[in-house]
Amino acid sequence: IRTTTLSDKWGLVQRHEFELRRRNGSWQHQIRETYDRGDGAAVLLCDVAAGDVVLIRQFRYPAFYRGEPPFLIEVCAGKLEGDDAMTCARKEAVEETGYAVGRMIKAFDCFMSPGSVTERLTLFIGLVEGAAPGTGGGLEHEGEDIEVIRLPLATALEMVQTGEIADAKTIMLLQYARLNGIFG
């Protein structure tokens, strides 16, 4: 029926009014808000020979706002910004960790919060070896100040259980790596 833009500063926030035909055939007037920031890609870096994953830790304002620990441990991720998902994932890995990714394995495409966020993420496993040839740390002009963390897959999975890792895309990719035998 109507779409109203509420904000377009960081992402596009809109209010939508529409009629939804319910399963029983009746029509219901509904109002929803959506947040559109574009689609993205994420990659879990895996050094199979060492049994390690490479993750990052960075400040996340929404966690801070909620009174939660604001430095979240995550996989590398970013907005597509015109790139295909694999190109984006490779670029983010270098920018955030310094690692150039070898073979990439597509895990899946998913919505992270489909009740209000339009973003669709493509998730990958990226194979790396040894120490990072670059420095990583993110891009200062994008407000990034990223710490690179390298640890055994088993330790990362324990951190999911303790709540030290609470980011959904990271949890999904760690579980994917374990369930799909990425480390043998």
Coordinates of all heavy atoms in Angstrom, one line a residue, residues 13-103:
V13 N 16.3 2.6 6.1 CA 15.2 2.2 7.0 C 13.9 2.6 6.5 O 13.7 3.8 6.2 CB 15.4 2.7 8.5 CG1 14.3 2.2 9.4 CG2 16.8 2.3 9.0
Q14 N 13.0 1.7 6.2 CA 11.7 2.0 5.6 C 10.6 1.4 6.4 O 10.7 0.3 7.0 CB 11.6 1.5 4.2 CG 12.6 2.3 3.3 CD 12.5 1.9 1.8 OE1 12.4 0.7 1.5 NE2 12.4 2.8 0.9
R15 N 9.4 2.0 6.4 CA 8.1 1.6 7.0 C 7.2 1.2 5.8 O 7.0 1.9 4.9 CB 7.5 2.7 7.8 CG 6.2 2.3 8.5 CD 5.7 3.5 9.2 NE 4.6 3.2 10.1 CZ 3.3 3.3 9.7 NH1 3.0 3.8 8.5 NH2 2.3 3.0 10.5
H16 N 6.7 -0.1 5.9 CA 5.9 -0.6 4.8 C 4.5 -1.0 5.4 O 4.4 -1.6 6.4 CB 6.5 -1.9 4.2 CG 8.0 -1.7 3.9 ND1 8.4 -1.2 2.7 CD2 9.1 -2.0 4.6 CE1 9.7 -1.2 2.6 NE2 10.1 -1.7 3.8
E17 N 3.5 -0.5 4.6 CA 2.1 -1.0 4.9 C 1.6 -1.8 3.8 O 1.8 -1.4 2.6 CB 1.2 0.3 5.1 CG 1.5 1.1 6.3 CD 0.4 2.2 6.4 OE1 -0.8 1.9 6.4 OE2 0.9 3.4 6.6
F18 N 1.0 -3.0 4.1 CA 0.6 -3.9 3.0 C -0.5 -4.8 3.6 O -0.8 -4.8 4.7 CB 1.8 -4.7 2.5 CG 2.5 -5.6 3.6 CD1 2.1 -6.9 3.9 CD2 3.4 -5.0 4.4 CE1 2.7 -7.6 4.9 CE2 4.1 -5.7 5.4 CZ 3.7 -7.0 5.7
E19 N -1.2 -5.4 2.6 CA -2.2 -6.4 2.9 C -1.6 -7.8 2.7 O -1.1 -8.0 1.6 CB -3.4 -6.2 2.0 CG -4.1 -4.8 2.2 CD -4.8 -4.7 3.5 OE1 -5.4 -5.7 4.0 OE2 -4.8 -3.6 4.1
L20 N -1.7 -8.7 3.7 CA -1.2 -10.0 3.5 C -2.4 -11.0 3.5 O -3.2 -11.0 4.4 CB -0.3 -10.4 4.7 CG 0.3 -11.8 4.7 CD1 1.3 -12.0 3.6 CD2 0.9 -12.1 6.1
R21 N -2.4 -11.9 2.5 CA -3.4 -12.9 2.4 C -2.9 -14.1 3.3 O -1.9 -14.7 3.1 CB -3.6 -13.4 1.0 CG -4.8 -14.4 1.0 CD -5.2 -14.7 -0.4 NE -6.4 -15.4 -0.4 CZ -7.2 -15.5 -1.4 NH1 -6.9 -14.9 -2.5 NH2 -8.3 -16.2 -1.3
R22 N -3.7 -14.3 4.4 CA -3.4 -15.4 5.3 C -3.7 -16.8 4.7 O -4.4 -16.9 3.7 CB -4.1 -15.1 6.6 CG -3.7 -13.8 7.3 CD -4.5 -13.5 8.5 NE -4.2 -14.5 9.5 CZ -3.2 -14.6 10.3 NH1 -2.2 -13.7 10.2 NH2 -3.1 -15.5 11.2
R23 N -3.2 -17.8 5.4 CA -3.4 -19.1 4.9 C -4.9 -19.5 4.8 O -5.3 -20.3 4.0 CB -2.6 -20.2 5.7 CG -1.1 -20.1 5.5 CD -0.4 -21.1 6.4 NE -0.5 -20.7 7.8 CZ -0.8 -21.6 8.8 NH1 -1.0 -22.8 8.5 NH2 -0.9 -21.2 10.0
N24 N -5.7 -18.9 5.7 CA -7.1 -19.2 5.7 C -7.9 -18.4 4.6 O -9.1 -18.5 4.6 CB -7.7 -19.0 7.1 CG -7.8 -17.5 7.5 OD1 -7.5 -16.7 6.7 ND2 -8.1 -17.3 8.7
G25 N -7.2 -17.6 3.8 CA -7.8 -16.8 2.8 C -8.2 -15.4 3.1 O -8.5 -14.6 2.3
S26 N -8.2 -15.1 4.4 CA -8.6 -13.7 4.8 C -7.4 -12.8 4.6 O -6.2 -13.2 4.5 CB -9.0 -13.7 6.3 OG -7.9 -14.0 7.1
W27 N -7.7 -11.5 4.5 CA -6.7 -10.5 4.3 C -6.4 -9.7 5.6 O -7.4 -9.5 6.4 CB -7.1 -9.5 3.2 CG -7.1 -10.1 1.9 CD1 -8.1 -10.7 1.3 CD2 -6.0 -10.2 1.0 NE1 -7.7 -11.2 0.0 CE2 -6.4 -10.8 -0.2 CE3 -4.7 -9.7 1.0 CZ2 -5.6 -11.1 -1.2 CZ3 -3.8 -9.9 0.0 CH2 -4.3 -10.6 -1.2
Q28 N -5.2 -9.4 5.9 CA -4.8 -8.7 7.1 C -3.9 -7.5 6.8 O -2.9 -7.7 6.1 CB -4.1 -9.6 8.1 CG -3.8 -9.0 9.4 CD -3.0 -10.0 10.3 OE1 -2.2 -10.8 9.9 NE2 -3.4 -10.0 11.6
H29 N -4.2 -6.3 7.3 CA -3.4 -5.2 7.2 C -2.2 -5.3 8.1 O -2.4 -5.6 9.3 CB -4.2 -3.9 7.5 CG -3.4 -2.6 7.3 ND1 -3.3 -2.1 6.0 CD2 -2.8 -1.8 8.1 CE1 -2.6 -1.0 6.1 NE2 -2.2 -0.8 7.4
Q30 N -1.0 -5.1 7.6 CA 0.2 -5.2 8.4 C 1.1 -4.0 8.1 O 1.1 -3.4 7.0 CB 1.0 -6.5 8.1 CG 0.2 -7.7 8.5 CD 1.1 -9.0 8.6 OE1 2.2 -9.0 8.3 NE2 0.4 -10.1 8.9
I31 N 1.9 -3.7 9.1 CA 2.9 -2.7 9.1 C 4.3 -3.3 9.5 O 4.3 -3.9 10.6 CB 2.6 -1.4 9.9 CG1 1.2 -0.8 9.4 CG2 3.7 -0.4 9.9 CD1 0.7 0.3 10.3
R32 N 5.3 -3.1 8.7 CA 6.6 -3.6 9.1 C 7.7 -2.6 8.7 O 7.4 -1.7 7.8 CB 7.0 -4.9 8.3 CG 6.1 -6.1 8.6 CD 6.4 -6.6 10.0 NE 5.6 -7.8 10.3 CZ 4.4 -7.9 10.8 NH1 3.8 -6.7 11.1 NH2 3.8 -9.0 11.0
E33 N 8.8 -2.6 9.4 CA 9.9 -1.8 9.1 C 11.1 -2.7 8.6 O 11.2 -3.8 9.1 CB 10.4 -0.9 10.3 CG 9.4 0.1 10.6 CD 9.8 1.0 11.8 OE1 10.9 0.7 12.4 OE2 9.0 1.8 12.2
T34 N 11.8 -2.2 7.6 CA 12.9 -3.0 7.1 C 14.2 -2.1 7.2 O 14.2 -0.9 7.1 CB 12.8 -3.5 5.7 OG1 12.5 -2.3 4.8 CG2 11.6 -4.5 5.5
Y35 N 15.3 -2.8 7.3 CA 16.6 -2.2 7.3 C 17.4 -2.8 6.2 O 17.6 -4.0 6.2 CB 17.3 -2.4 8.6 CG 18.7 -1.8 8.7 CD1 19.0 -0.5 8.4 CD2 19.8 -2.6 9.1 CE1 20.3 0.0 8.4 CE2 21.1 -2.1 9.1 CZ 21.3 -0.8 8.8 OH 22.6 -0.2 8.9
D36 N 17.8 -2.0 5.2 CA 18.5 -2.5 4.0 C 19.9 -1.9 4.0 O 20.0 -0.7 3.9 CB 17.7 -2.1 2.7 CG 18.3 -2.7 1.5 OD1 19.4 -3.3 1.5 OD2 17.7 -2.6 0.4
R37 N 20.9 -2.7 4.1 CA 22.3 -2.2 4.1 C 23.0 -2.9 2.9 O 24.2 -2.8 2.9 CB 22.9 -2.5 5.4 CG 23.0 -3.9 5.9 CD 23.6 -4.1 7.2 NE 25.0 -3.6 7.3 CZ 26.1 -4.3 6.9 NH1 26.0 -5.5 6.4 NH2 27.3 -3.8 7.0
G38 N 22.3 -3.7 2.1 CA 23.0 -4.4 1.0 C 23.3 -5.8 1.5 O 23.3 -6.1 2.6
D39 N 23.7 -6.6 0.5 CA 24.0 -8.0 0.8 C 25.5 -8.1 1.1 O 26.3 -7.2 0.9 CB 23.7 -8.9 -0.4 CG 22.2 -9.0 -0.7 OD1 21.5 -8.8 0.3 OD2 21.8 -9.4 -1.8
G40 N 25.9 -9.2 1.7 CA 27.3 -9.4 2.1 C 27.8 -10.8 2.0 O 27.1 -11.7 1.5
A41 N 29.1 -10.9 2.3 CA 29.7 -12.2 2.3 C 30.6 -12.4 3.6 O 31.1 -11.4 4.1 CB 30.6 -12.4 1.1
A42 N 30.8 -13.6 4.0 CA 31.6 -13.9 5.2 C 32.5 -15.1 4.9 O 32.0 -16.0 4.1 CB 30.8 -14.1 6.4
V43 N 33.6 -15.2 5.5 CA 34.5 -16.4 5.3 C 35.2 -16.8 6.6 O 35.7 -15.9 7.3 CB 35.5 -16.1 4.2 CG1 36.4 -14.9 4.4 CG2 36.4 -17.3 3.9
L44 N 35.1 -18.1 6.9 CA 35.9 -18.6 8.0 C 37.2 -19.1 7.4 O 37.3 -20.0 6.6 CB 35.2 -19.8 8.6 CG 36.0 -20.6 9.7 CD1 36.3 -19.7 10.9 CD2 35.2 -21.8 10.1
L45 N 38.3 -18.5 7.9 CA 39.7 -18.9 7.4 C 40.1 -20.1 8.2 O 40.1 -20.1 9.4 CB 40.6 -17.8 7.6 CG 40.2 -16.5 6.9 CD1 41.3 -15.4 7.1 CD2 40.0 -16.7 5.4
C46 N 40.5 -21.2 7.5 CA 40.9 -22.5 8.1 C 42.3 -22.9 7.6 O 42.5 -23.0 6.4 CB 39.9 -23.6 7.7 SG 38.3 -23.3 8.3
D47 N 43.2 -23.1 8.5 CA 44.5 -23.6 8.3 C 44.4 -25.1 8.6 O 44.6 -25.5 9.8 CB 45.6 -22.9 9.1 CG 47.0 -23.4 8.7 OD1 47.2 -24.6 8.2 OD2 48.0 -22.7 8.9
V48 N 44.1 -25.9 7.7 CA 43.8 -27.3 7.9 C 45.0 -28.1 8.5 O 44.9 -28.9 9.4 CB 43.3 -28.0 6.6 CG1 43.1 -29.5 6.8 CG2 42.0 -27.4 6.2
A49 N 46.2 -27.8 8.0 CA 47.4 -28.5 8.4 C 47.7 -28.2 9.9 O 48.1 -29.1 10.6 CB 48.6 -28.0 7.6
A50 N 47.4 -27.0 10.3 CA 47.6 -26.6 11.7 C 46.4 -26.9 12.6 O 46.6 -26.9 13.9 CB 48.0 -25.1 11.9
G51 N 45.3 -27.1 12.0 CA 44.0 -27.4 12.8 C 43.5 -26.1 13.4 O 42.7 -26.1 14.3
D52 N 43.8 -24.9 12.8 CA 43.5 -23.6 13.3 C 42.4 -22.9 12.4 O 42.4 -23.2 11.2 CB 44.7 -22.7 13.4 CG 45.7 -23.1 14.5 OD1 45.3 -23.9 15.4 OD2 46.8 -22.6 14.4
V53 N 41.7 -22.0 13.1 CA 40.8 -21.1 12.4 C 41.4 -19.7 12.7 O 42.0 -19.5 13.7 CB 39.3 -21.2 12.8 CG1 38.8 -22.5 12.4 CG2 39.1 -21.0 14.3
V54 N 41.1 -18.8 11.8 CA 41.5 -17.4 12.0 C 40.2 -16.6 12.1 O 39.4 -16.6 11.2 CB 42.4 -16.9 10.8 CG1 42.8 -15.4 11.0 CG2 43.6 -17.8 10.7
L55 N 40.1 -15.9 13.2 CA 38.9 -15.1 13.5 C 39.4 -13.6 13.7 O 40.6 -13.4 13.8 CB 38.2 -15.6 14.7 CG 37.7 -17.1 14.5 CD1 37.1 -17.6 15.9 CD2 36.6 -17.1 13.4
I56 N 38.4 -12.7 13.9 CA 38.8 -11.4 14.2 C 38.0 -10.9 15.4 O 36.9 -11.5 15.7 CB 38.5 -10.4 13.0 CG1 37.0 -10.4 12.6 CG2 39.4 -10.8 11.8 CD1 36.6 -9.4 11.6
R57 N 38.4 -9.9 16.1 CA 37.7 -9.3 17.2 C 37.6 -7.8 16.9 O 38.6 -7.1 16.6 CB 38.4 -9.5 18.5 CG 37.6 -8.9 19.7 CD 38.3 -9.0 21.1 NE 39.4 -9.9 21.2 CZ 39.3 -11.1 21.9 NH1 38.2 -11.4 22.5 NH2 40.4 -11.9 22.0
Q58 N 36.4 -7.3 16.9 CA 36.2 -5.8 16.7 C 35.0 -5.3 17.5 O 34.1 -6.0 17.9 CB 36.0 -5.5 15.2 CG 34.8 -6.1 14.5 CD 34.8 -5.8 13.1 OE1 35.1 -4.7 12.7 NE2 34.3 -6.7 12.3
F59 N 35.0 -4.0 17.7 CA 34.0 -3.3 18.4 C 32.7 -3.3 17.6 O 32.7 -3.0 16.4 CB 34.4 -1.8 18.7 CG 33.4 -1.0 19.3 CD1 33.2 -1.1 20.7 CD2 32.6 -0.1 18.6 CE1 32.2 -0.3 21.3 CE2 31.6 0.6 19.2 CZ 31.4 0.5 20.6
R60 N 31.6 -3.6 18.2 CA 30.3 -3.6 17.6 C 29.3 -2.7 18.5 O 29.0 -3.1 19.6 CB 29.7 -5.0 17.5 CG 30.5 -5.8 16.5 CD 30.5 -5.2 15.1 NE 30.9 -6.2 14.1 CZ 31.1 -5.8 12.8 NH1 30.9 -4.6 12.5 NH2 31.5 -6.7 12.0
Y61 N 28.9 -1.6 17.9 CA 28.1 -0.7 18.7 C 26.8 -1.3 19.2 O 26.5 -1.0 20.4 CB 27.8 0.6 17.9 CG 27.1 1.6 18.7 CD1 27.7 2.4 19.7 CD2 25.7 1.7 18.7 CE1 27.0 3.3 20.5 CE2 25.0 2.6 19.5 CZ 25.6 3.3 20.4 OH 24.9 4.2 21.2
P62 N 26.1 -2.1 18.4 CA 24.8 -2.6 19.0 C 25.0 -3.5 20.2 O 24.2 -3.4 21.1 CB 24.3 -3.4 17.8 CG 24.8 -2.7 16.6 CD 26.2 -2.3 17.0
A63 N 26.1 -4.2 20.3 CA 26.4 -5.0 21.5 C 26.7 -4.0 22.7 O 26.2 -4.2 23.8 CB 27.6 -5.9 21.3
F64 N 27.5 -3.0 22.4 CA 27.7 -2.0 23.4 C 26.4 -1.3 23.9 O 26.2 -1.1 25.1 CB 28.7 -0.9 22.9 CG 28.9 0.3 23.7 CD1 29.7 0.3 24.8 CD2 28.2 1.5 23.5 CE1 29.9 1.4 25.6 CE2 28.4 2.6 24.3 CZ 29.2 2.5 25.4
Y65 N 25.6 -0.9 23.0 CA 24.3 -0.3 23.3 C 23.4 -1.2 24.2 O 22.8 -0.7 25.1 CB 23.5 0.0 22.0 CG 22.2 0.5 22.1 CD1 21.9 1.9 22.4 CD2 21.1 -0.3 22.1 CE1 20.7 2.4 22.5 CE2 19.8 0.2 22.2 CZ 19.6 1.5 22.5 OH 18.3 2.0 22.6
R66 N 23.5 -2.5 24.0 CA 22.7 -3.4 24.8 C 23.4 -3.7 26.2 O 22.8 -4.4 27.0 CB 22.6 -4.8 24.1 CG 21.7 -4.7 22.9 CD 21.6 -6.1 22.2 NE 21.4 -7.2 23.2 CZ 20.2 -7.7 23.6 NH1 19.1 -7.1 23.1 NH2 20.2 -8.6 24.5
G67 N 24.6 -3.2 26.4 CA 25.3 -3.5 27.7 C 26.0 -4.8 27.7 O 26.4 -5.3 28.7
E68 N 26.2 -5.4 26.5 CA 26.9 -6.6 26.3 C 28.4 -6.3 26.1 O 28.7 -5.2 25.8 CB 26.4 -7.4 25.1 CG 24.9 -7.6 25.1 CD 24.4 -8.9 25.8 OE1 25.3 -9.7 26.0 OE2 23.3 -9.0 26.1
P69 N 29.3 -7.3 26.2 CA 30.7 -7.1 25.8 C 30.7 -6.6 24.4 O 30.2 -7.2 23.5 CB 31.3 -8.4 26.0 CG 30.5 -9.1 27.0 CD 29.1 -8.7 26.7
P70 N 31.3 -5.4 24.1 CA 31.2 -4.8 22.8 C 32.2 -5.3 21.7 O 32.1 -5.0 20.6 CB 31.4 -3.3 23.1 CG 32.3 -3.3 24.2 CD 31.9 -4.5 25.1
F71 N 33.2 -6.0 22.2 CA 34.2 -6.5 21.2 C 33.9 -8.0 20.9 O 34.1 -8.9 21.7 CB 35.6 -6.4 21.8 CG 36.1 -5.0 21.9 CD1 35.8 -4.3 23.1 CD2 36.7 -4.3 20.8 CE1 36.2 -2.9 23.2 CE2 37.1 -3.0 20.9 CZ 36.8 -2.3 22.1
L72 N 33.3 -8.2 19.7 CA 32.8 -9.5 19.3 C 33.8 -10.2 18.5 O 34.6 -9.6 17.7 CB 31.5 -9.4 18.5 CG 30.3 -8.8 19.2 CD1 29.1 -8.8 18.3 CD2 30.0 -9.5 20.5
I73 N 33.9 -11.6 18.7 CA 34.8 -12.4 17.9 C 33.9 -12.9 16.7 O 32.8 -13.5 16.9 CB 35.3 -13.6 18.7 CG1 36.1 -13.0 19.9 CG2 36.1 -14.6 17.8 CD1 36.6 -14.1 20.9
E74 N 34.5 -12.8 15.5 CA 33.7 -13.0 14.3 C 34.6 -13.6 13.2 O 35.8 -13.5 13.3 CB 33.1 -11.8 13.7 CG 32.3 -11.0 14.7 CD 31.8 -9.6 14.1 OE1 31.5 -9.6 12.9 OE2 31.7 -8.7 14.8
V75 N 34.0 -14.1 12.1 CA 34.7 -14.4 10.9 C 34.8 -13.1 10.1 O 34.1 -12.1 10.4 CB 33.9 -15.4 10.0 CG1 33.9 -16.8 10.7 CG2 32.5 -15.0 9.7
C76 N 35.6 -13.1 9.1 CA 35.8 -11.9 8.2 C 34.5 -11.7 7.4 O 33.9 -12.7 6.9 CB 36.9 -12.1 7.2 SG 38.5 -12.4 7.9
A77 N 34.0 -10.5 7.3 CA 32.8 -10.3 6.5 C 32.8 -8.8 6.0 O 33.4 -8.0 6.6 CB 31.6 -10.6 7.4
G78 N 31.9 -8.6 5.0 CA 31.7 -7.3 4.5 C 30.6 -7.2 3.5 O 30.0 -8.2 3.1
K79 N 30.3 -6.0 3.2 CA 29.2 -5.7 2.2 C 29.8 -6.0 0.8 O 30.9 -5.7 0.5 CB 28.7 -4.3 2.3 CG 28.0 -4.1 3.6 CD 27.7 -2.7 4.0 CE 27.3 -1.7 3.0 NZ 26.8 -0.4 3.6
L80 N 28.9 -6.4 -0.1 CA 29.4 -6.7 -1.5 C 29.9 -5.5 -2.2 O 30.8 -5.6 -3.0 CB 28.2 -7.4 -2.3 CG 27.8 -8.8 -1.8 CD1 26.7 -9.4 -2.7 CD2 28.9 -9.7 -1.5
E81 N 29.2 -4.4 -2.1 CA 29.6 -3.2 -2.8 C 30.0 -3.3 -4.2 O 31.0 -2.9 -4.7 CB 30.7 -2.5 -2.0 CG 30.3 -2.1 -0.6 CD 31.4 -1.5 0.3 OE1 32.6 -1.8 0.1 OE2 31.0 -0.7 1.2
G82 N 29.1 -4.1 -5.0 CA 29.4 -4.3 -6.4 C 30.1 -5.5 -6.8 O 30.2 -5.9 -7.9
D83 N 30.8 -6.1 -5.8 CA 31.6 -7.4 -6.1 C 30.6 -8.6 -6.0 O 29.6 -8.5 -5.3 CB 32.7 -7.5 -5.1 CG 33.8 -6.5 -5.3 OD1 34.1 -6.2 -6.4 OD2 34.5 -6.2 -4.2
D84 N 31.1 -9.7 -6.6 CA 30.4 -10.9 -6.3 C 30.8 -11.4 -4.9 O 31.8 -10.9 -4.3 CB 30.7 -12.0 -7.4 CG 32.2 -12.4 -7.4 OD1 32.6 -13.3 -6.6 OD2 32.9 -11.7 -8.2
A85 N 30.1 -12.4 -4.3 CA 30.3 -12.8 -3.0 C 31.7 -13.3 -2.7 O 32.3 -13.0 -1.7 CB 29.3 -13.8 -2.5
M86 N 32.2 -14.1 -3.6 CA 33.6 -14.7 -3.4 C 34.6 -13.6 -3.5 O 35.6 -13.6 -2.7 CB 33.8 -15.8 -4.5 CG 35.1 -16.6 -4.2 SD 35.4 -18.0 -5.2 CE 34.1 -19.1 -4.7
T87 N 34.5 -12.7 -4.4 CA 35.5 -11.6 -4.5 C 35.5 -10.8 -3.2 O 36.5 -10.4 -2.7 CB 35.2 -10.7 -5.7 OG1 35.3 -11.5 -6.9 CG2 36.2 -9.5 -5.8
C88 N 34.3 -10.5 -2.7 CA 34.1 -9.7 -1.5 C 34.8 -10.5 -0.3 O 35.5 -9.9 0.5 CB 32.7 -9.5 -1.2 SG 32.3 -8.8 0.4
A89 N 34.5 -11.8 -0.2 CA 35.1 -12.6 0.9 C 36.6 -12.6 0.9 O 37.3 -12.4 1.9 CB 34.5 -14.0 0.9
R90 N 37.2 -12.7 -0.3 CA 38.6 -12.7 -0.5 C 39.2 -11.4 -0.1 O 40.2 -11.3 0.6 CB 39.0 -13.1 -1.9 CG 38.8 -14.5 -2.3 CD 39.3 -14.7 -3.7 NE 39.1 -16.1 -4.1 CZ 39.9 -17.1 -3.8 NH1 40.9 -16.9 -3.0 NH2 39.6 -18.4 -4.2
K91 N 38.6 -10.3 -0.5 CA 39.0 -8.9 -0.2 C 39.0 -8.6 1.3 O 39.9 -8.1 1.8 CB 38.2 -7.9 -1.0 CG 38.7 -6.5 -0.9 CD 37.9 -5.4 -1.7 CE 36.7 -5.8 -2.5 NZ 36.0 -4.7 -3.1
E92 N 37.9 -9.0 1.9 CA 37.7 -8.8 3.3 C 38.7 -9.6 4.1 O 39.3 -9.1 5.1 CB 36.3 -9.1 3.8 CG 35.2 -8.2 3.3 CD 35.3 -6.8 3.8 OE1 35.8 -6.6 4.9 OE2 34.9 -5.9 3.0
A93 N 39.1 -10.8 3.7 CA 40.1 -11.6 4.4 C 41.4 -10.9 4.4 O 42.1 -10.8 5.5 CB 40.2 -13.0 3.8
V94 N 41.8 -10.3 3.3 CA 43.1 -9.6 3.2 C 43.1 -8.3 4.1 O 44.0 -8.1 4.9 CB 43.5 -9.3 1.8 CG1 44.7 -8.4 1.7 CG2 43.8 -10.6 1.0
E95 N 42.0 -7.6 3.9 CA 41.9 -6.3 4.6 C 41.8 -6.5 6.2 O 42.4 -5.8 6.9 CB 40.6 -5.5 4.2 CG 40.6 -5.0 2.9 CD 39.3 -4.3 2.5 OE1 38.4 -4.3 3.3 OE2 39.2 -3.9 1.3
E96 N 41.1 -7.5 6.6 CA 40.9 -7.7 8.0 C 41.9 -8.6 8.7 O 42.2 -8.4 9.9 CB 39.5 -8.3 8.3 CG 38.4 -7.3 7.8 CD 37.0 -7.8 8.1 OE1 36.8 -8.9 8.6 OE2 36.0 -7.0 7.8
T97 N 42.5 -9.5 8.0 CA 43.5 -10.5 8.6 C 44.9 -10.5 8.0 O 45.8 -11.0 8.6 CB 42.9 -11.9 8.6 OG1 43.0 -12.4 7.3 CG2 41.5 -12.0 9.2
G98 N 45.0 -10.0 6.8 CA 46.3 -10.1 6.1 C 46.4 -11.4 5.3 O 47.4 -11.6 4.6
Y99 N 45.5 -12.4 5.5 CA 45.6 -13.6 4.8 C 45.0 -13.6 3.4 O 43.9 -13.1 3.2 CB 44.8 -14.7 5.5 CG 45.6 -15.3 6.7 CD1 45.4 -14.7 8.0 CD2 46.4 -16.4 6.6 CE1 46.1 -15.2 9.1 CE2 47.1 -16.9 7.7 CZ 46.9 -16.3 8.9 OH 47.6 -16.8 10.0
A100 N 45.8 -14.1 2.4 CA 45.2 -14.3 1.1 C 44.7 -15.7 1.0 O 45.4 -16.6 1.4 CB 46.3 -14.1 0.0
V101 N 43.4 -15.8 0.7 CA 42.7 -17.1 0.7 C 43.0 -17.9 -0.5 O 43.0 -17.4 -1.6 CB 41.2 -16.9 0.9 CG1 40.5 -18.3 0.9 CG2 40.9 -16.1 2.1
G102 N 43.3 -19.2 -0.3 CA 43.5 -20.2 -1.4 C 42.1 -20.7 -1.9 O 41.3 -19.9 -2.3
R103 N 41.9 -21.9 -1.7 CA 40.6 -22.6 -2.2 C 39.5 -22.0 -1.3 O 39.6 -21.9 -0.1 CB 40.7 -24.1 -2.0 CG 39.5 -24.8 -2.5 CD 39.8 -26.3 -2.7 NE 38.6 -27.0 -2.5 CZ 38.3 -27.9 -1.6 NH1 39.3 -28.3 -0.8 NH2 37.1 -28.5 -1.5

